[in-house]
Amino acid sequence: MYAIKTIQRMLRVGIRNIAHDLLGHVARYRPDALLFQDPDAFRAIYDTKANVKKAKKYRAWARHVAAETTFTTTDSVIHARKRRVLNAAFSDKAMRSADHIPIRHIDRWCELLADSEENAPKPQWTKPKNMTEWSDYLILDILTELSFGKSFETKEPAANPGKSIPHSVVRYLKFMYPIIWSLFLDIWLWLKRRGLDRFVENNLPEEPKKKQLRRQEQRPASEDGFKDLLHHLLQADDPEGGPGFTPLELRGETELLLSAGFDTTSAVIAAMFSLPRPQRIRLHKAHPRDTANVSRA
């Protein structure tokens, strides 16, 4: 499998280099696809007045056809309205009022990471931890408190159904990616318009996230006066006179707040613990050799 993926990457790089060498900064390598090799291409593609449209596969990510988000909608007019409402909600004042939340969670996360094993010889080793999961817990706790005013506290050692949320996000992505790149995408979108979303939602078990969100509906106001992002989204209107978000739109946008950037941010934090530092490399080399019973041929 690794050899196949390596060959695929080499072919992609080779095709890209040949196309740009022959055709310049913009190369059409198939009838419906272009390759860009120019920083200005970002503005040309994503500018609000750009003569492009998001691919239909984005619509497959919508949980409900009536709850398209700024990520899933392919209509430029609808997307512009959603962006205006979001910009009105995420003001500089609202963002500054939340500065203390990530700091508090990071401090607590570091305390839990430094929890060393009992009776461990010096220099003490901390308890083994899966940094991929711990990074997920940190980001999830920060995002849930920023979004809903109350953290799920998944990083705490107690049993917590919210710990399954990162795994659910990954499973959903692994399920959807083959669909949006398959020949059955049009059938999938056709079924979504005819009740597939409602059927799936009614037949799935209740998720831990829904249970926790329901318990937070009557949550008390924050003692420090912090107003979560959901509060600002509920109060926000379109500055150009349009309406704010409908309940279905609001649900989609709040779910987007949890999922957008969650996995990528977590992966970056986890990768920081694998950076090649000489001292850590020496410890990694010495520890297995001192404790493992390895027979040499």
Side-chain angles (χ1 to χ4, degrees):
M1 180 62 68
Y2 177 77
I4 294 175
K5 291 185 176 297
T6 301
I7 293 173
Q8 289 176 340
R9 284 195 295 269
M10 292 174 62
L11 288 174
R12 285 197 296 267
V13 173
I15 292 172
R16 182 183 63 193
N17 292 338
I18 293 173
H20 288 306
D21 290 342
L22 293 176
L23 302 174
H25 293 308
V26 181
R28 184 183 297 276
Y29 68 99
R30 69 184 192 205
D32 61 343
L34 297 173
L35 286 173
F36 290 88
Q37 194 183 41
D38 191 335
D40 293 334
F42 182 87
R43 289 190 295 272
I45 295 171
Y46 293 104
D47 188 81
T48 55
K49 298 181 180 179
N51 186 26
V52 295
K53 185 177 181 180
K54 294 170 76 173
K56 59 185 176 183
K57 62 176 176 284
Y58 282 92
R59 300 205 305 269
W61 291 104
R63 183 163 186 167
H64 192 282
V65 291
E68 290 191 338
T69 66
T70 50
F71 173 72
T72 61
T73 183
T74 59
D75 188 300
S76 58
V77 176
I78 296 176
H79 182 268
R81 171 197 157 250
K82 289 178 179 293
R83 286 294 300 271
R84 289 195 299 269
V85 176
L86 286 175
N87 290 338
F90 298 157
S91 64
D92 291 339
K93 181 179 179 180
M95 296 299 101
R96 284 195 298 269
S97 68
D99 287 347
H100 64 287
I101 291 177
I103 296 173
R104 174 162 47 80
H105 281 285
I106 291 172
D107 289 344
R108 175 58 179 161
W109 188 67
C110 292
E111 290 177 4
L112 294 171
L113 286 179
D115 181 22
S116 59
E117 294 182 343
E118 294 181 2
N119 302 322
K122 294 185 179 181
Q124 291 187 351
W125 286 86
T126 60
K127 295 179 181 179
K129 296 178 177 64
N130 185 333
M131 292 312 302
T132 299
E133 292 185 351
W134 276 75
S135 300
D136 287 344
Y137 299 155
L138 171 64
I139 301 303
L140 182 62
D141 288 350
I142 293 175
L143 287 178
T144 50
E145 183 161 1
L146 288 175
S147 300
F148 309 119
K150 184 174 178 61
S151 170
F152 286 0
E153 301 296 350
T154 55
K155 62 182 175 297
E156 297 298 332
N160 189 332
K163 291 179 183 289
S164 65
I165 293 176
H167 302 289
S168 300
V169 172
V170 173
R171 285 198 299 268
Y172 176 67
L173 294 175
K174 291 173 68 175
F175 174 77
M176 287 301 302
Y177 260 102
I179 293 175
I180 65 174
W181 291 106
S182 72
L183 299 176
F184 304 104
L185 176 60
D186 290 330
I187 298 175
W188 183 266
L189 295 176
W190 183 84
L191 291 172
K192 283 176 70 68
R193 295 193 298 270
R194 283 156 181 79
L196 176 63
D197 297 325
R198 192 178 303 109
F199 171 80
V200 172
E201 189 164 345
N202 291 338
N203 287 276
L204 284 178
E206 191 171 41
E207 303 144 293
K209 182 171 64 174
K210 285 184 182 179
K211 295 179 182 178
Q212 295 212 25
L213 292 179
R214 231 191 315 277
R215 286 198 296 266
Q216 294 170 23
E217 288 179 356
Q218 302 299 327
R219 63 188 185 277
S222 174
E223 295 179 357
D224 56 9
F226 167 71
K227 296 179 180 179
D228 55 46
L229 299 181
L230 184 58
H231 166 85
H232 294 292
L233 286 176
L234 285 167
Q235 302 297 322
D237 291 318
D238 185 352
E240 295 188 4
F245 289 137
T246 65
L248 278 176
E249 287 179 315
L250 187 62
R251 177 179 175 180
E253 295 295 341
T254 51
E255 290 180 347
L256 182 63
L257 290 175
L258 288 180
S259 57
F262 164 76
D263 189 58
T264 51
T265 307
S266 173
V268 170
I269 293 176
M272 293 173 61
F273 290 86
S274 300
L275 294 176
R277 297 182 182 177
Q279 182 180 5
R280 186 181 301 136
I281 291 175
R282 287 195 296 271
L283 288 173
H284 284 319
K285 288 181 178 178
H287 187 62
R289 291 173 182 170
D290 293 340
T291 60
N293 183 16
V294 180
S295 61
R296 297 179 179 272

